[in-house]
Amino acid sequence: MTEPGDPTGSTRRMPTVDPVGGDPHTPGPATPSAHVPVPTLEQGGGRAGRFWSARRVPAALVALVLLGAAGLLLYDIAAVRAGHPAMQWRRSLADGLAERHLDDVAVLVGAGIAAAVGLWLLLLALTPGLRDLLPMRRDRAGVRAGLDRTAAALVLRDRAVEVPGVQSVRVRMGRKKAKVRALSHFRELDDVRNDVDAVLTTAVRELGLAKPPGLSVQVHRPAKKG
């Protein structure tokens, strides 16, 4: 701005004041920055589906079998085109297919084996696999986590052993249900069962699984010796 008594007509730039208490000589931002909310546990990060297995062993076996069969067949075809006789296995196979009927036992057995192998391969292709890995809740969009069923069973067992009156605990952790069998050497069985059920309900919730399994709690007395 120009001061009234300044003969030179020069302008002086007024200092820019930072509204948040910064340096008054530092220019402020041109536009206010957008507020990015901090992700919380209540925000979903996507669907927590099961983990898919790579199935490297079945894929490698199928690839090797197909590669060997195709290579052998192409070699035999090239040999026949070059004037050599066909291999014995191909002549025997052609004669057998020409002579045997569709209702022959060998043909039916071979067809059944081929159909079973095909169904097995389709099942492997359409199912995720990795049944021992339980998917956990997706609290962050770019993070996927899983918990091994054995580790989850150990956590539940350690929690159940802490209940007064519990002598030993066996836990079988499934994808949909956790079966707990505890032995109690004192206290009433109903009281122990209620305490174990309450403790394990909290423990299952704290595991952070996408689909918490149900609980089946059984409490018994240890077998008497002699």
Side-chain angles (χ1 to χ4, degrees):
M1 59 181 298
T2 305
E3 294 186 357
D6 191 355
T8 61
S10 61
T11 60
R12 295 183 179 179
R13 185 178 299 277
M14 298 297 293
T16 303
V17 180
D18 190 359
V20 295
D23 188 0
H25 299 287
T26 304
T31 57
S33 59
H35 175 67
V36 180
V38 177
T40 60
L41 293 178
E42 286 76 13
Q43 295 178 349
R47 181 177 179 271
R50 289 176 56 188
F51 291 86
W52 282 77
S53 174
R55 307 287 169 85
R56 294 183 177 89
V57 175
L61 292 177
V62 172
L64 289 176
V65 170
L66 293 179
L67 181 62
L72 186 62
L73 182 60
L74 290 177
Y75 174 79
D76 191 42
I77 293 176
V80 172
R81 290 296 182 90
H84 299 282
M87 291 185 179
Q88 181 63 36
W89 67 268
R90 197 154 71 99
R91 294 198 301 267
S92 301
L93 180 61
D95 295 339
L97 293 176
E99 296 174 358
R100 295 182 183 274
H101 299 284
L102 295 178
D103 57 351
D104 190 80
V105 177
V107 176
L108 295 177
V109 171
I113 294 175
V117 173
L119 290 177
W120 176 62
L121 293 176
L122 287 176
L123 182 64
L124 292 179
L126 298 177
T127 54
L130 296 179
R131 298 176 62 87
D132 291 336
L133 195 60
L134 302 175
M136 303 180 70
R137 289 195 305 266
R138 296 193 65 182
D139 298 329
R140 300 293 184 272
V143 178
R144 290 196 64 191
L147 181 63
D148 188 77
R149 284 199 292 177
T150 303
L154 291 176
V155 172
L156 298 184
R157 188 198 65 180
D158 293 342
R159 291 292 186 89
V161 169
E162 297 175 356
V163 176
V166 174
Q167 181 179 8
S168 62
V169 180
R170 296 178 61 184
V171 180
R172 295 182 59 185
M173 191 72 179
R175 292 191 300 113
K176 296 182 179 180
K177 180 175 289 188
K179 297 181 180 180
V180 182
R181 181 181 177 87
L183 296 180
S184 175
H185 56 292
F186 69 92
R187 295 183 65 195
E188 294 293 333
L189 294 182
D190 292 338
D191 296 339
V192 176
R193 184 182 299 105
N194 293 334
D195 291 347
V196 171
D197 187 77
V199 168
L200 293 186
T201 300
T202 303
V204 169
R205 184 172 62 252
E206 291 176 351
L207 289 177
L209 299 177
K211 296 180 179 179
L215 281 174
S216 176
V217 180
Q218 297 180 359
V219 181
H220 303 280
R221 294 292 185 194
K224 296 182 179 180
K225 297 182 180 180

